[in-house]
Amino acid sequence: MQLLFNLFLQSYYITYLTPNEHEAEKFAHEERRKMIVTKGEKGISFYDGMNEKHLASVQVRVVETTGAGDSFGHWLLLCLRVRN
């Protein structure tokens, strides 16, 4: 995790970091760049380095959570790709 964090702070190649809320705690006292923090049933928070925005999750009946983070990551990449 520390290696990833160091690369994130020093790299111009990483545009967004998408930690969960437990991983994001490690970044709380450091410089914030663009981060999208996943918070499970509480939604996501987006930090652009200066501002924070929160998006609530859609309430659904959970059957299985395996792959939920991967699905979110792929959805995010698709949305960013379509936007650009």
Side-chain angles (χ1 to χ4, degrees):
M1 184 65 163
Q2 186 62 42
L3 175 61
L4 176 61
F5 179 69
N6 290 341
L7 287 172
F8 176 63
L9 289 179
Q10 297 170 6
S11 175
Y12 295 102
Y13 300 107
I14 299 174
T15 305
Y16 295 95
L17 186 64
T18 58
N20 63 42
E21 61 187 323
H22 302 292
E23 296 165 337
E25 290 174 3
K26 297 183 184 282
F27 300 100
H29 303 298
E30 303 293 337
E31 174 188 350
R32 286 189 175 172
R33 293 196 186 171
K34 292 181 180 177
M35 283 200 300
I36 299 171
V37 181
T38 59
K39 298 180 176 185
E41 65 183 16
K42 294 181 277 185
I44 64 170
S45 291
F46 173 76
Y47 303 93
D48 67 2
M50 296 178 1
N51 302 302
E52 175 183 353
K53 293 184 181 183
H54 180 77
L55 297 173
S57 63
V58 175
Q59 299 300 310
V60 297
R61 183 176 66 85
V62 176
V63 176
E64 175 63 52
T65 60
T66 302
D70 294 331
S71 296
F72 173 78
H74 292 291
W75 170 85
L76 175 64
L77 288 172
L78 176 63
C79 290
L80 292 171
R81 177 71 176 149
V82 168
R83 189 177 125 197
N84 293 328

